[in-house]
């Protein structure tokens, strides 16, 4: 896959928000002929373009687990998302900065994303890991919902007004994240798209706590934006890095809409380097895009994305954090999400699960021992072109790690290709036909 790079010369043209853009393409029309929030678009970054809707595979520690970056490019991934918290702990953000940034460090030549560490506020704090249906087990008797911790988990993060204290899952050391620290780490990591530091709540939290956390996230968002502008002006030799605000508010329509309005209205002053109109050396600018995150139930996914699409600026991209199931992808796109990420394709691959048009299947099953067909007939991925179910079944039984690689390549290709088809279907006005065909087959009862 060829990635287009920006012609801007960082040595002669200091980075400004003008180096990042989003252009809307085709718009989705519903079966009733009425416009829907879904659309196609083009995100332009200093390291290439992303045609949206797009699935962004997760490279948590500067690698998609078990898969080479070159293989990710070959299977059609347009960008990768890494985890700022994990890279801060190991090998260190300063090391990646010295290496030339995340992409250079991992030999990935396309656009990159980094999250803010905000997810760890929830996962390390409460032990609940799922973003979709993030309800988890009930809080133990006598324990308030706002203090809920998953059974068998230890609270490793504590939130205060200024930031979060983390206890490292690697060695138990204490670390401090604030909005300024998070943005500083992400600037060192050098991703094209970063996310503001936020507090991610769970569905256990009371309405009162959701309001409190949302207001804290709003204050943190402005601090992130101000620090982002300061560092952009300070690191003039580096390409521009876009900053996305993160929308929280759980299941509550008024909180989600308020968060969208608050973040959409935020501005700060960026050094413009003479690139603006007239003689102004400053550019008033807000967030470059928005992430839709937080606690939500699967059944309400489309509704919540739709609320946000109605409130957020039409000319800014919207990233939905943490989805990859086919029904969720169609729902997200239909309601206005442009990009999304998820670890699921590689996570389930490590259990031997593989995706097909007829659903998800588990390769360790005995019936695959003498099955010499590919993981999916007609799939154009490297794995399906060269290996059989029987061979990969053998690798799983023999506990050979390359099994994870082969299944992961297929699962990532399956997901990337599906979103590519969704994008084309919006252009062709065949979205709802594709949705009925894909979901009808994928979720059909299995014999």
């Amino acid at each position: 896959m060829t990635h287009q790079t920006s012609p801007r010369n960082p040595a002669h043209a200091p980075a400004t928000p003008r180096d990042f853009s989003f252009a809307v393409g085709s718009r989705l029309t519903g079966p009733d002929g009425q416009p829907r929030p879904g659309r196609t678009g083009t995100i332009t970054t200093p390291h290439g373009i992303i045609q949206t809707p797009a699935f962004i595979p997760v490279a948590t520690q500067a690698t998609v687990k078990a898969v080479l970056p070159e293989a990710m490019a070959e299977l059609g991934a347009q960008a990768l998302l890494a985890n700022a918290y994990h890279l801060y702990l190991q090998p260190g953000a300063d090391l990646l900065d010295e290496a030339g940034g995340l992409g250079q460090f991992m030999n990935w030549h396309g656009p990159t994303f980094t999250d803010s560490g905000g997810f760890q506020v929830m996962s390390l704090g409460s032990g609940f890991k799922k973003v979709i249906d993030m309800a988890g087990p009930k809080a133990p008797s006598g324990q308030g919902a706002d203090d809920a911790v998953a059974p068998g988990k230890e609270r490793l993060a504590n939130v205060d007004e200024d930031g979060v204290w983390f206890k490292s899952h690697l060695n138990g050391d204490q670390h401090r994240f604030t909005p300024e620290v998070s943005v500083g780490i992400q600037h060192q990591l050098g991703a094209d798209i970063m996310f503001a530091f936020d507090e991610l709540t769970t569905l256990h939290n009371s309405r009162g706590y959701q309001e409190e956390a949302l207001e804290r996230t709003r204050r943190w968002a402005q601090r992130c934006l101000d620090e982002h502008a300061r560092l952009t002006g300070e690191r003039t030799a580096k390409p521009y890095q876009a900053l996305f605000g993160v929308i929280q508010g759980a299941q509550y329509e008024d909180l989600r809409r308020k968060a969208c309005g608050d973040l959409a209205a935020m501005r700060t002053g960026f050094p413009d380097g003479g690139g603006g109109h007239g003689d102004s050396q400053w550019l008033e600018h807000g967030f470059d895009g928005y992430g839709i995150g937080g606690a939500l139930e699967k059944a309400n996914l489309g509704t919540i994305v739709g609320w946000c699409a109605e409130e957020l600026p039409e000319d800014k991209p919207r990233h939905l954090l943490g989805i990859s199931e086919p029904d969720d992808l169609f729902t997200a796109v239909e309601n206005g999400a442009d990009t999304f990420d998820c670890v699921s394709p590689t996570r389930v691959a490590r259990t031997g699960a593989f995706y097909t048009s007829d659903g998800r299947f588990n390769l360790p099953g005995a019936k695959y021992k003498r099955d010499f067909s590919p993981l999916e007939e007609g799939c154009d991925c490297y794995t399906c072109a060269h290996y059989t179910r029987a061979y990969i079944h053998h690798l799983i039984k023999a506990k050979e790690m390359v099994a994870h690689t082969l299944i992961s390549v297929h699962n990532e290709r399956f997901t990337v290709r599906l979103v590519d088809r969704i994008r084309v279907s919006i252009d062709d006005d065949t979205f709802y036909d594709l949705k009925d065909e894909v979901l009808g087959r994928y979720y059909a009862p299995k014999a």
Side-chain angles (χ1 to χ4, degrees), residues 306-330:
W307 294 335
C308 296
E310 290 175 1
E311 300 293 335
L312 291 171
E314 183 72 10
D315 62 347
K316 299 292 180 69
R318 311 163 191 143
H319 181 88
L320 181 58
L321 294 134
I323 67 159
S324 68
E325 291 300 309
D327 57 341
D328 295 331
L329 294 172
F330 278 98

Side-chain angles (χ1 to χ4, degrees), residues 343-371:
V343 300
S344 186
T346 54
R347 176 175 286 170
V348 302
R350 296 193 296 278
T351 71
F354 65 99
Y355 300 139
T356 77
S357 297
D358 295 307
R360 196 171 92 183
F361 298 93
N362 295 311
L363 199 54
K367 66 179 180 179
Y368 297 111
K369 183 175 182 177
R370 287 182 167 81
D371 187 342

Side-chain angles (χ1 to χ4, degrees), residues 39-100:
R39 73 266 182 95
T40 65
T42 302
I43 298 173
T44 300
T45 81
H47 289 98
I49 63 173
I50 304 169
Q51 299 292 348
T52 67
F55 177 69
I56 313 300
V58 177
T60 300
Q61 300 188 88
T63 178
V64 176
K65 289 190 184 300
V67 184
L68 288 171
E70 295 90 332
M72 294 306 301
E74 290 171 4
L75 63 80
Q78 299 186 66
L80 300 178
L81 182 146
N83 186 295
Y85 171 79
H86 286 285
L87 292 176
Y88 158 78
L89 290 179
Q90 184 179 283
D94 59 330
L95 188 147
L96 268 72
D97 197 17
E98 184 180 341

Side-chain angles (χ1 to χ4, degrees), residues 233-244:
E234 184 178 281
R235 294 164 59 86
T236 56
K238 301 290 185 178
Y240 181 71
Q241 298 173 253
L243 181 65
F244 284 23

Side-chain angles (χ1 to χ4, degrees), residues 52-255:
T52 67
F55 177 69
I56 313 300
V58 177
T60 300
Q61 300 188 88
T63 178
V64 176
K65 289 190 184 300
V67 184
L68 288 171
E70 295 90 332
M72 294 306 301
E74 290 171 4
L75 63 80
Q78 299 186 66
L80 300 178
L81 182 146
N83 186 295
Y85 171 79
H86 286 285
L87 292 176
Y88 158 78
L89 290 179
Q90 184 179 283
D94 59 330
L95 188 147
L96 268 72
D97 197 17
E98 184 180 341
L102 173 64
Q104 183 72 21
F105 185 59
M106 67 183 291
N107 193 35
W108 170 260
H109 304 295
T112 51
F113 292 58
T114 47
D115 62 11
S116 68
F119 182 80
Q120 276 68 34
V121 174
M122 184 280 298
S123 65
L124 294 180
S126 66
F128 300 125
K129 295 185 177 181
K130 293 179 68 177
V131 174
I132 302 298
D133 271 336
M134 195 198 299
K138 296 298 182 184
S141 177
Q143 186 177 40
D146 291 341
D147 297 316
V149 178
K153 297 292 184 178
E154 175 189 359
R155 183 174 293 280
L156 299 178
N158 291 280
V159 181
D160 57 48
E161 176 53 36
D162 188 56
V164 182
W165 281 106
F166 286 100
K167 187 175 181 180
S168 169
H169 67 285
L170 296 178
N171 59 14
D173 287 350
Q174 291 285 336
H175 298 273
R176 180 69 170 169
F177 265 37
T178 65
E180 293 78 13
V181 168
S182 173
V183 171
I185 289 168
Q186 292 185 81
H187 266 266
Q188 287 185 304
L189 296 178
D192 293 284
I193 296 174
M194 311 175 290
F195 289 92
F197 192 57
D198 63 314
E199 181 181 356
L200 176 57
T201 58
T202 79
L203 293 178
H204 284 300
N205 295 118
S206 65
R207 164 74 191 218
Y209 190 84
Q210 299 286 3
E211 293 174 355
E212 178 186 327
L214 192 70
E215 178 63 14
R216 183 160 37 242
T217 289
R218 183 192 66 79
R219 292 191 293 267
W220 287 0
Q222 184 65 62
R223 289 167 57 185
C224 286
L225 196 56
D226 292 343
E227 182 69 359
H228 172 46
R230 187 187 73 80
L231 290 173
T232 298
E234 184 178 281
R235 294 164 59 86
T236 56
K238 301 290 185 178
Y240 181 71
Q241 298 173 253
L243 181 65
F244 284 23
V246 179
I247 308 300
Q248 295 290 349
Q251 304 288 84
Y252 300 101
E253 179 176 1
D254 60 328
L255 297 187

